[in-house]
Amino acid sequence: MTPSHAQMANAIRALAMDAVQKAKSGHPGMPMGFADVATVLFTRHLKCAPDDPLWPDRDRFVLSAGHGSILLYAVLYLMGYEKITLDDIKNFRQLGSIAAGHPEYDPAAGIEMTTGPLGQGLATAVGMAMAERLLAARYGRALVDHHTFVAASDGDLMEGVSHEAISLAGHLKLAKLIVLYDDNHISIDGPLSLSESGDVIARFKAAGWAAERVDGHDADAVDAAIARAKQSDRPSLIACHTTIGYGAPTKQGTAASHGAPLGVEEVAATRKALGWEAPPFDIPDDILNAWRGAGRRSAPDRDAWAGRLAALPEPDKKEFARTLSGALPEGFSPALDAHRQHLASQAPNWASRKASQEALEVITRAVTETIGGSADLTGSNNTKSSIQSDVTPDDFSGRFIHYGIREFGMAAAMNGLALHGGVIPYSGTFLVFADYCRPAIRLSALMKQRVIYVLTHDSIGLGEDGPTHQPVEHLASLRAIPGLNVFRPADAMETAECWQLTLETKDTPSVLALTRQGLPALRRAFTPDNPCRRGAYELLPAEADPRVTLLATGSEVAIAVEARALLQADGIGARVVSMPCWELFEAQPLTYQAETLGENQIRIAIEAASPMGWDRYIGPDGAFIGMTGFGASAPASDLYEHFSITAQAAAAAARARL
Ligand SMILES: Cc1ncc(C[n+]2csc(CCOP(=O)(O)OP(=O)(O)O)c2C)c(N)n1
């Protein structure tokens, strides 16, 4: 006999409560409550191929409520994703198990992104749905035609980033984005009424979504609602009214089932209540077979898609495969070299934001999968090249996105674009607002995604806007994020070189910290290699026996060059080392690092920012010239004088230590 929907859903419930019980930690409530919705989605709607998990035209599923991770592992195991085994589920939350505490990005296992920080799964899914439309506009609906489904909890919708995400998705009419909201009225502290009384349906409708409420335990009602959502011309919210911990006799419907094992007695009682007789981690054959059958449901779709791909002309096929693989086109390096040659001949005194714009004129032509944007600072961030047209709600053939004043939503959407694949996202705001993007930057790094943050107005050098807009601690705090490359180029040449590195490092997100103010051209000769690749390099040697090394980044490299001249005038040999990227420098052999930093020399570091982190380079005998507090409102040149970030101060600090 074919197993019933309830038996299929109970397989999820059983795995969830047993895994949490065995791990002695985890969240059984959400998975047990949401099991009916997940069963309907995976067995009747989600287009996916467990035997071909990276199939580009698969539907994306994001478990935004990442604390319910065991729901995802259970479903993926049941569907037949080979990377998730029963042993992994038995080892839930243990070292080495793919079934980690919260889902960790592993698309080959069916895990489309890392979730856990509430709100971000939803906001990232918006980017995935954007990528789908961007690629459909390029390659056509025969190759790109899939949905993005999100399972979101109360916490996801309470987080501020959900506001940015749903308004952006509503504005862009992302009709293939469908959010299944686990409307269970419970969060950790207890009933949601403790802290929430808004009207979720009205809120989504106001943002341009289709929104309706269904009984989340009525499989046919959920099924029909998903079918309706697929026909919608707007993104859809389906609020699925559920009972948290469904089936647990004394704990269901209460916060007690949210985030702790049910306990041995309650688990036994739940088995009884659900009519589930199988022992822990044992899924009866007929039920497992039915799930595996559901896992094979989309195979004909996948085969038909592969046929359409195979029928394409060879060059189109190659381009589709290349962009999805993330490889850069062959023309990229030569185009960038030509640009660097041009810069060497012109030696422009551009602000690095302007140099970035000029680099983008080359990059956006050579790398047509780049998708630019800005959080309403397009003219200040200089992120739009002359060939990019705007993406609009009805036309995704453009390559520039006006994200609006939604920095966190933008950063999360960029993660979604990168995770989806086929596009390379970059976008801008002011460096000081990296704080607004930070949780998403952290996830870019954790998931090793090539997301490029163009963060301009990178110091007191922005001048009159004053301390609210002048970043001080931001470089240090970004450098503290593991797996993030923070670039601060010194002139137009370095800016082009740093851009090259952001694109070439496929598995690393990057920050480009760029100036508002003009910068003198310091590198006037073309070198075939890209010296920024090593993170730091000797820009100018000492003319006499080197006694001082001046270390600097970005706009302060020019100050170091001037300080060197002052010291040389006194007969003191001084070198200048430009350090555009600490992370790349620290990946160099120790001998190169020691040589570059200069042994037995006084080291003076100059950066118009917090000293934090510089100690390891300057050592106990060195000095730091930079900021110790917030900036001020004044013209940039007055501020550099006021805060003593000058060549004279640097030279004096060196002399005092010799
Ligand atoms: C940004 C963020 N803040 C806090 C948490 C910790 N946390 C995990 S689940 C949760 C709330 C649970 O309520 P709900 O979202 O309704 O999930 P449910 O109780 O239905 O499982 C919180 C606060 C988190 N994961 N992310």
Side-chain angles (χ1 to χ4, degrees):
M1 220 174 64
T2 319
S4 66
H5 162 82
Q7 287 174 301
M8 303 277 281
N10 285 342
I12 300 175
R13 294 189 174 102
L15 287 173
M17 68 178 179
D18 290 335
V20 172
Q21 193 62 39
K22 180 161 188 286
K24 301 194 190 75
S25 77
H27 298 75
M30 186 273 166
M32 295 175 75
F34 203 67
D36 289 309
V37 180
T39 302
V40 172
L41 175 65
F42 275 81
T43 64
R44 303 190 200 179
H45 290 279
L46 197 84
K47 186 173 79 167
C48 63
D51 63 345
D52 184 8
L54 302 178
W55 172 29
D57 201 31
R58 69 191 182 278
D59 286 345
R60 306 303 197 265
F61 172 72
V62 173
L63 180 68
S64 193
H67 59 277
S69 61
I70 192 65
L71 170 90
L72 183 60
Y73 309 137
V75 168
L76 294 175
Y77 162 69
L78 292 168
M79 290 283 284
Y81 285 80
E82 278 180 10
K83 269 191 96 172
I84 305 222
T85 65
L86 202 53
D87 279 341
D88 287 316
I89 291 180
K90 287 180 191 165
N91 287 320
F92 179 46
R93 295 183 150 235
Q94 308 309 305
L95 200 61
S97 171
I98 202 166
H102 290 82
E104 294 180 11
Y105 173 62
D106 189 343
I111 303 170
E112 300 285 1
M113 70 168 291
T114 296
T115 51
L118 289 167
Q120 275 204 75
L122 169 58
T124 306
V126 169
M128 294 180 184
M130 286 163 63
E132 195 267 352
R133 282 194 64 188
L134 287 163
L135 292 191
R138 280 157 189 71
Y139 297 106
R141 282 290 178 209
L143 284 192
V144 185
D145 192 4
H146 53 266
H147 286 87
T148 304
F149 290 96
V150 180
S153 65
D154 294 306
D156 284 304
L157 301 191
M158 289 169 94
E159 287 293 347
V161 72
S162 74
H163 171 77
E164 298 179 26
I166 70 168
S167 67
L168 184 61
H171 168 72
L172 289 173
K173 295 192 193 151
L174 299 178
K176 298 183 130 207
L177 175 65
I178 300 175
V179 174
L180 300 159
Y181 160 41
D182 185 20
D183 183 11
N184 65 17
H185 304 287
I186 293 290
S187 66
I188 291 179
D189 281 1
L192 210 63
S193 56
L194 287 171
S195 56
E196 175 65 75
S197 46
D199 180 341
V200 169
I201 301 279
R203 177 181 163 215
F204 274 75
K205 282 189 173 162
W209 288 54
E212 63 171 301
R213 181 168 272 118
V214 297
D215 175 352
H217 299 299
D218 178 340
D220 291 335
V222 173
D223 181 25
I226 296 176
R228 276 191 295 278
K230 284 173 158 176
Q231 299 305 317
S232 172
D233 59 356
R234 292 168 286 166
S236 297
L237 172 86
I238 305 171
C240 305
H241 183 35
T242 65
T243 301
I244 192 169
Y246 182 93
T250 71
K251 296 195 171 172
Q252 68 175 5
T254 73
S257 70
H258 161 87
L262 296 178
V264 177
E265 280 173 27
E266 183 83 355
V267 166
T270 305
R271 276 197 148 65
K272 221 175 193 173
L274 294 175
W276 187 266
E277 286 163 10
F281 304 110
D282 185 349
I283 306 297
D285 284 348
D286 58 335
I287 296 177
L288 186 60
N289 286 338
W291 267 105
R292 295 285 154 96
R296 289 187 293 274
R297 198 173 35 83
S298 306
D301 275 350
R302 192 262 322 272
D303 295 346
W305 178 89
R308 292 194 295 275
L309 179 67
L312 285 185
E314 207 53 43
D316 295 2
K317 233 185 310 192
K318 267 178 93 171
E319 181 66 0
F320 185 70
R322 181 190 67 74
T323 52
L324 279 160
S325 76
L328 293 173
E330 279 167 16
F332 170 64
S333 268
L336 207 87
D337 278 354
H339 176 59
R340 291 201 303 123
Q341 245 150 359
H342 175 72
L343 292 175
S345 69
Q346 301 293 311
N349 294 336
W350 290 331
S352 47
R353 62 174 173 153
K354 160 80 174 154
S356 170
Q357 159 112 43
E358 296 297 328
L360 281 170
E361 292 293 345
V362 176
I363 290 164
T364 54
R365 281 172 176 78
V367 188
T368 52
E369 60 271 31
T370 46
I371 301 292
S374 172
D376 202 46
L377 289 168
T378 302
S380 299
N381 302 143
N382 297 42
T383 41
K384 188 172 179 180
S385 78
S386 56
I387 61 157
Q388 285 172 303
S389 56
D390 292 340
V391 167
T392 69
D394 299 314
D395 183 1
F396 271 64
S397 65
R399 286 171 53 203
F400 190 85
I401 295 162
H402 291 277
Y403 285 99
I405 308 106
R406 301 183 180 100
E407 292 84 3
F408 188 5
M410 169 178 80
M414 285 208 287
N415 280 338
L417 288 167
L419 288 164
H420 181 283
V423 290
I424 302 176
Y426 73 87
S427 193
T429 182
F430 290 153
L431 177 58
V432 80
F433 303 133
D435 288 341
Y436 280 46
C437 306
R438 190 178 180 84
I441 298 178
R442 184 171 197 271
L443 277 195
S444 311
L446 198 53
M447 297 188 286
K448 300 187 189 321
Q449 293 301 299
R450 177 173 49 189
V451 174
I452 303 165
Y453 297 89
V454 181
L455 303 179
T456 67
H457 297 59
D458 72 346
S459 75
I460 52 163
L462 67 86
E464 295 84 345
D465 270 341
T468 54
H469 282 50
Q470 291 161 352
V472 173
E473 73 281 23
H474 300 77
L475 291 170
S477 80
L478 289 166
R479 286 170 181 150
I481 297 179
L484 172 70
N485 284 341
V486 181
F487 292 96
R488 190 163 186 255
D491 68 354
M493 182 71 81
E494 278 199 5
T495 304
E497 291 169 351
C498 291
W499 255 113
Q500 180 176 22
L501 297 166
T502 66
L503 288 160
E504 283 180 0
T505 43
K506 229 172 104 173
D507 58 358
T508 310
S510 300
V511 164
L512 283 162
L514 305 173
T515 66
R516 170 178 185 255
Q517 74 274 27
L519 300 174
L522 301 174
R523 292 256 315 286
R524 292 160 177 262
F526 175 76
T527 50
D529 67 317
N530 172 348
C532 293
R533 197 178 294 287
R534 307 193 84 167
Y537 64 97
E538 184 179 81
L539 176 71
L540 292 173
E543 276 171 13
D545 180 33
R547 296 177 65 200
V548 176
T549 292
L550 297 151
L551 307 167
T553 74
S555 40
E556 285 70 69
V557 179
I559 294 175
V561 170
E562 228 187 290
R564 170 178 175 271
L566 294 176
L567 290 167
Q568 306 251 99
D570 288 350
I572 303 169
R575 311 156 61 233
V576 173
V577 170
S578 179
M579 300 193 74
C581 182
W582 289 14
E583 295 78 17
L584 292 180
F585 180 59
E586 287 175 14
Q588 298 304 309
L590 288 176
T591 47
Y592 177 79
Q593 292 185 39
E595 202 174 281
T596 305
L597 293 173
E599 282 157 305
N600 306 318
Q601 291 163 33
I602 296 297
R603 295 180 195 150
I604 308 293
I606 317 170
E607 184 170 69
S610 155
M612 190 177 278
W614 277 103
D615 305 17
R616 66 186 181 282
Y617 298 138
I618 60 181
D621 304 325
F624 177 74
I625 305 290
M627 301 294 290
T628 47
F630 292 119
S633 170
S637 54
D638 293 354
L639 290 173
Y640 274 90
E641 286 294 331
H642 176 73
F643 290 109
S644 293
I645 305 176
T646 61
Q648 290 72 18
R655 279 191 213 101
R657 283 164 178 77
L658 283 170

